[in-house]
Amino acid sequence: MEPLALKLRPKCLDDVIGQKHLIGKNKVLTNLVKNKKLFSMILYGKPGIGKTTIATAIVEELGLQYRMLNAVINNKKDFDVVVEEAKMYKGLVVIMDEIHRLNKDKQDLLLPYLENGLIILIGMTTSNPYHAINPAIRSRCQIFELKELSSDDIKMAINKAIKTELKDIKIDDECIDFIANTSSGDLRYAYNLLEVAYYSTDKKVTLESLKNISNKPNLFHDKNEDGYYDVISAFQKSIRGSDVDASLHYLARLIEAEDLDIIFRRMSVIAYEDIGLANPNMALKVEACISACERLGLPEARIPLAKTVIELALSPKSNSAIMAIDEALNDIRKGNTGNVPEHIKTTSPNYKYAHDYKNHIVKQQYLPDNLKGKRYYNPQNNKNEIILKEVNDRIKEIID
């Protein structure tokens, strides 16, 4: 029997729930379909938010021949078959799940046909493609991020399911709210919970029956529908504030939701934004932690995560690097740039090669004239930056 999520899968973009930044009047995906033009693309975002739905809706609306592949499950022979079909049809759309795990053999097989347009690729992934997908594939695709569905989006979908497929169900608004909130933006999860409740309760769904079925805690969503982002924000701010216990609390909430990607991204940002030059080695420790977690998976990944978060929280802090680059960017955006000094231009015969001088430093102007003497980097009062300040001061005395 077809699952509810499959029965309700939209056949056209107009029926897709959410993703209003990509779908709707004058939005990019809608316009592509309207203009009957398709390019290779990568759709990325959390599970259950519509990646496969959007991919299939696009090709079905355009009436294009397509095949579904999984970068891991399907072998090279399957890919060979798809290439031959593409040649036979004089063009084929390949919808590929888990594209971030595409190995080199399969990639090398596809690349020439992506290049000449015989194959149009719609890749799908839960991983950030800028980190996880090979640049050779990424450069041939447009990248679209799908946003997490709100509670209102989920409730709209549930009500549609009730009206079209589960017409004899007995369910109240409190139960619908519970399903929407518990799903944490995963529409597939919401549909599955609704369907199990429908068939396991003689079609009369209660809050108690839903709680007995669902073992997934309602971690994020609140009445303002921004609880998920609040938890992420609280995680970073607790580490920034050096509260190790609060940091571990919010880490636990993210681990329980099995949201490793956002933990990895936040820890990486924290290592550079909040710890920064006060403890540069933390960035390396975070990378080592991420690598270990990817090898271990959950539940073991919780161990290196806890160790690293404790170190992040208790590490000395400095935001001097982000302050420095933001001030430099602010100058650029205001047009406060100036010309590159003549003696350090590409073909200048007057450039002084620093390595020819004592300590590899020589008196020479590097900033444009109108920014001469400008200081972007202002060291903060921690052990490492006190040393950096002394080095910087000595250099400035020579070169200025």
Side-chain angles (χ1 to χ4, degrees), residues 351-357 362 364:
Y351 169 61
K352 297 175 183 176
Y353 188 57
H355 295 298
D356 289 340
Y357 296 83
V362 59
Q364 184 168 240

Side-chain angles (χ1 to χ4, degrees), residues 19 35 39 227 264 342 384:
Q19 313 311 329
N35 293 318
F39 301 91
F264 296 162
E342 289 294 330
N384 190 63

Side-chain angles (χ1 to χ4, degrees), residues 100 127-134 138 265:
H100 61 284
S127 298
N128 187 330
Y130 297 102
H131 302 307
I133 293 179
N134 188 294
R138 198 173 66 226
R265 290 199 296 273

Side-chain angles (χ1 to χ4, degrees), residues 260-378:
L260 289 180
D261 276 349
I262 193 63
I263 297 172
F264 296 162
R265 290 199 296 273
R266 284 298 97 197
M267 289 198 309
S268 295
V269 168
I270 290 163
Y272 289 98
E273 178 183 350
D274 297 307
I275 280 86
L277 290 164
N279 186 2
N281 285 335
M282 274 313 306
L284 299 176
K285 290 184 177 182
V286 166
E287 287 304 311
C289 172
I290 292 170
S291 178
C293 291
E294 288 175 339
R295 286 197 304 272
L296 293 170
L298 288 170
E300 286 82 1
R302 76 191 189 284
I303 305 166
L305 285 173
K307 171 191 175 294
T308 306
V309 164
I310 289 169
E311 287 191 83
L312 285 166
L314 298 180
S315 172
K317 309 292 192 298
S318 172
N319 68 343
S320 60
I322 188 175
M323 297 292 286
I325 189 59
D326 283 353
E327 188 175 348
L329 286 168
N330 190 44
D331 268 348
I332 304 304
R333 289 162 185 165
K334 289 190 300 185
N336 192 15
T337 53
N339 295 322
V340 174
E342 289 294 330
H343 55 276
I344 59 171
K345 287 184 177 179
T346 309
T347 57
S348 173
N350 300 318
Y351 169 61
K352 297 175 183 176
Y353 188 57
H355 295 298
D356 289 340
Y357 296 83
K358 184 180 178 181
N359 298 323
H360 312 281
I361 301 169
V362 59
K363 183 176 179 61
Q364 184 168 240
Q365 181 181 332
Y366 294 95
L367 277 169
D369 287 342
N370 62 315
L371 290 172
K372 186 177 179 182
K374 178 80 177 186
R375 297 290 184 268
Y376 291 115
Y377 172 51
N378 295 297

Side-chain angles (χ1 to χ4, degrees), residues 78-132:
D78 298 325
F79 279 67
D80 286 329
V81 170
V82 163
V83 168
E84 291 307 312
E85 286 187 338
K87 293 175 180 176
M88 182 176 67
Y89 291 122
K90 294 184 172 55
L92 188 70
V93 178
V94 175
I95 299 175
M96 187 182 302
D97 202 8
E98 296 194 79
I99 190 173
H100 61 284
R101 298 180 69 181
L102 189 67
N103 68 29
K104 190 175 185 304
D105 286 347
K106 297 171 186 174
Q107 175 185 296
D108 289 345
L109 180 66
L110 287 178
L111 281 176
Y113 303 106
L114 292 181
E115 197 71 51
N116 65 23
L118 190 67
I119 287 178
I120 294 174
L121 176 67
I122 303 181
M124 300 173 296
T125 178
T126 56
S127 298
N128 187 330
Y130 297 102
H131 302 307

Side-chain angles (χ1 to χ4, degrees), residues 239-264:
I239 294 174
R240 180 184 296 152
S242 301
D243 188 327
V244 68
D245 298 303
S247 302
L248 288 167
H249 170 78
Y250 294 114
L251 172 65
R253 287 169 73 161
L254 292 167
I255 288 173
E256 193 64 19
E258 300 185 5
D259 200 347
L260 289 180
D261 276 349
I262 193 63
I263 297 172
F264 296 162

